[in-house]
Amino acid sequence: MTWLIRNTSDYSRLIYGMAVYVISYALLSYTVTPSLLIGFMVLISLGELILIPVRQSLLAELTPDAQRSSYLAIDSFMEQGMMILGGAAITIGGMVPGYVMSLGFLVMGLSGVLLMASIMKQPQKQERVSS
């Protein structure tokens, strides 16, 4: 995977990885064919292989040294929140058709991709703390 993406920027890897991840999960939630399920899981894994290293390096770069533990705690809390939302999606999935759930996943995921793209395009301001 590294060979395929080595010449791309962090921004491209982040957005591409997120898009592959989101679209594959939306399609995975709709299909019932075993071969397609396996194929979408492979795509999800590839998207994650692209996304996670860039995400972690950005988290390490953007956090101030004095507040690193707070940022990491919030990042860990975010994972717990995702598990809660996943449980809620299972409950909601019992009440609405599968295509509505898949479309909801796609819309929410692509909204996140677009938000991340707009945030990453903004110029970064350097704050200097005087000692």
Side-chain angles (χ1 to χ4, degrees):
M1 198 63 205
T2 305
W3 177 78
L4 289 174
I5 61 170
R6 69 176 170 207
N7 294 327
T8 59
S9 67
D10 281 350
Y11 173 80
S12 297
R13 282 183 276 187
L14 182 72
I15 300 305
Y16 178 71
M18 285 179 73
V20 169
Y21 193 72
V22 165
I23 292 168
S24 298
Y25 257 119
L27 293 172
L28 178 82
S29 69
Y30 186 70
T31 189
V32 293
T33 308
S35 59
L36 288 176
L37 289 171
I38 292 169
F40 290 135
M41 281 308 301
V42 168
L43 288 175
I44 289 167
S45 298
L46 292 176
E48 194 169 6
L49 284 172
I50 296 168
L51 170 66
I52 298 301
V54 176
R55 184 178 163 272
Q56 288 178 341
S57 69
L58 285 173
L59 181 64
E61 284 177 18
L62 296 175
T63 55
D65 290 335
Q67 298 168 337
R68 187 155 298 171
S69 62
S70 298
Y71 277 76
L72 292 174
I74 290 172
D75 186 57
S76 176
F77 182 68
M78 185 178 71
E79 292 175 13
Q80 297 298 322
M82 288 188 293
M83 288 177 31
I84 291 170
L85 288 175
I90 291 172
T91 303
I92 294 168
M95 296 182 263
V96 298
Y99 70 90
V100 173
M101 288 298 294
S102 297
L103 188 61
F105 292 151
L106 185 64
V107 168
M108 285 188 294
L110 290 179
S111 297
V113 171
L114 292 174
L115 285 170
M116 184 63 79
S118 68
I119 289 170
M120 293 300 293
K121 282 284 187 181
Q122 294 177 1
Q124 299 295 320
K125 293 180 182 177
Q126 292 285 333
E127 291 186 21
R128 304 230 180 228
V129 178
S130 58
S131 301

